[in-house]
Amino acid sequence: MSFIATPQSLHFEAPLPLQSGASIRGYDLTYETYGQLNAERSNAVLICHALNASHHVAGIYEGQARSEGWWDNMVGPGKPVDTDRFFVIGVNNLGSCFGSTGPMHVNPDTERVYGADFPVVTVEDWVNAQARLLDALGIQQLAAVMGGSLGGMQALSWTLQYPERVRHAVVVASAPNLSAENIAFNEVARRAIVTDPDFHGGHFYQHGVVPARGLRIARMIGHITYLSDDVMNAKFGRELRPPRSLLRMVRCPRRGARA
């Protein structure tokens, strides 16, 4: 049975230098924690999320149906990442749309919504922001850092940027960099978004719209890159199948009809 999760937020006023040479100040990081931090502060596990996930790693939100965290099967009492033993932290990355400061929020320097003016952030920037959050929580070293896909890239980056602060790293279905083919797919996905008439040069929040059509196409393109050849063949192989209407009739025949 899942436990009740409670989102939290920390504000950071000091500028965070970014890999691009820019910086961001006055930002918030949304996060959740599960389990108890021990007296030695040595049992913390950081879970890094992938592209379309968030800080809500495990548990449910009180009063909200179907609100399980994206890794709820992995994190919790008696589960592989056992919250009876570990203090688990999930952080929403800067630039996300799930709570932490991103393009939809107000730039404290201009008092206008960032939109397309939000600075470019990298995996290294996310890790640096996470390190600041751990500092605020009084955690100097992690028992482990974990993540899959883009979260795995962050876990890898932790071992390079802060090796003294990580005892173990668990990297799932990830890589240290993107292939040329993946970069090409990502560019096509970006073009689908920026050419949507509702994109408005990235300032669509000012117009009260979102580039939903472009986002749908981009998601379809991205999903292709997430699947192996075997899974692609299982889902979209060339084996002929009965039409859906025929399948429904066979499974749920009308009264008096022959199946």
Side-chain angles (χ1 to χ4, degrees):
M1 184 176 179
S2 292
F3 51 87
I4 301 300
T6 304
Q8 303 174 68
S9 182
L10 270 180
H11 182 76
F12 297 84
E13 189 57 40
L16 176 70
L18 304 175
Q19 295 294 307
S20 65
S23 64
I24 183 170
R25 72 168 187 87
Y27 61 91
D28 297 306
L29 292 180
T30 299
Y31 68 101
E32 290 180 7
T33 64
Y34 325 107
Q36 296 294 323
L37 187 64
N38 63 17
E40 296 79 19
R41 298 180 178 269
S42 62
N43 67 332
V45 175
L46 175 66
I47 308 289
C48 303
H49 69 75
L51 181 63
N52 64 336
S54 72
H55 54 281
H56 185 40
V57 177
I60 59 173
Y61 291 144
E62 189 170 15
Q64 295 186 32
R66 302 183 64 183
S67 60
E68 292 84 3
W70 55 270
W71 227 2
D72 189 64
N73 63 323
M74 281 285 290
V75 178
K79 295 180 181 179
V81 184
D82 190 349
T83 51
D84 289 335
R85 296 178 55 203
F86 298 108
F87 179 67
V88 180
I89 309 160
V91 186
N92 187 219
N93 287 332
L94 282 173
S96 172
C97 56
F98 293 112
S100 293
T101 298
M104 66 172 59
H105 294 100
V106 174
N107 182 344
D109 295 325
T110 65
E111 298 186 350
R112 294 188 300 177
V113 172
Y114 277 105
D117 297 327
F118 192 81
V120 173
V121 287
T122 68
V123 168
E124 292 87 352
D125 297 327
W126 291 330
V127 169
N128 287 332
Q130 292 160 6
R132 285 193 174 188
L133 177 67
L134 294 182
D135 290 342
L137 297 177
I139 299 169
Q140 291 304 307
Q141 189 180 70
L142 291 165
V145 58
M146 304 176 62
S149 190
L150 189 57
M153 289 184 171
Q154 294 165 63
L156 282 172
S157 197
W158 262 98
T159 68
L160 297 173
Q161 293 175 248
Y162 299 97
E164 73 288 351
R165 299 190 68 171
V166 180
R167 296 205 302 276
H168 297 90
V170 181
V171 179
V172 182
S174 191
N177 52 37
L178 295 181
S179 68
E181 181 182 49
N182 200 231
I183 292 171
F185 270 115
N186 286 348
E187 177 58 25
V188 176
R190 277 194 294 269
R191 296 306 302 168
I193 296 170
V194 302
T195 56
D196 187 315
D198 286 333
F199 185 66
H200 295 287
H203 294 286
F204 47 87
Y205 292 114
Q206 297 177 12
H207 297 265
V209 297
V210 294
R213 287 164 292 186
L215 285 166
R216 281 195 293 266
I217 295 171
R219 183 62 177 161
M220 292 167 66
I221 294 168
H223 193 65
I224 293 172
T225 70
Y226 304 155
L227 301 178
S228 67
D229 287 344
D230 290 342
V231 174
M232 283 289 286
N233 284 327
K235 286 193 172 187
F236 308 111
R238 298 182 63 180
E239 181 181 352
L240 292 177
R241 301 178 183 180
R244 289 187 178 182
S245 58
L246 179 58
L247 284 173
R248 285 197 296 268
M249 189 166 63
V250 170
R251 292 171 181 168
C252 304
R254 296 179 182 177
R255 183 176 298 176
R258 293 182 179 178

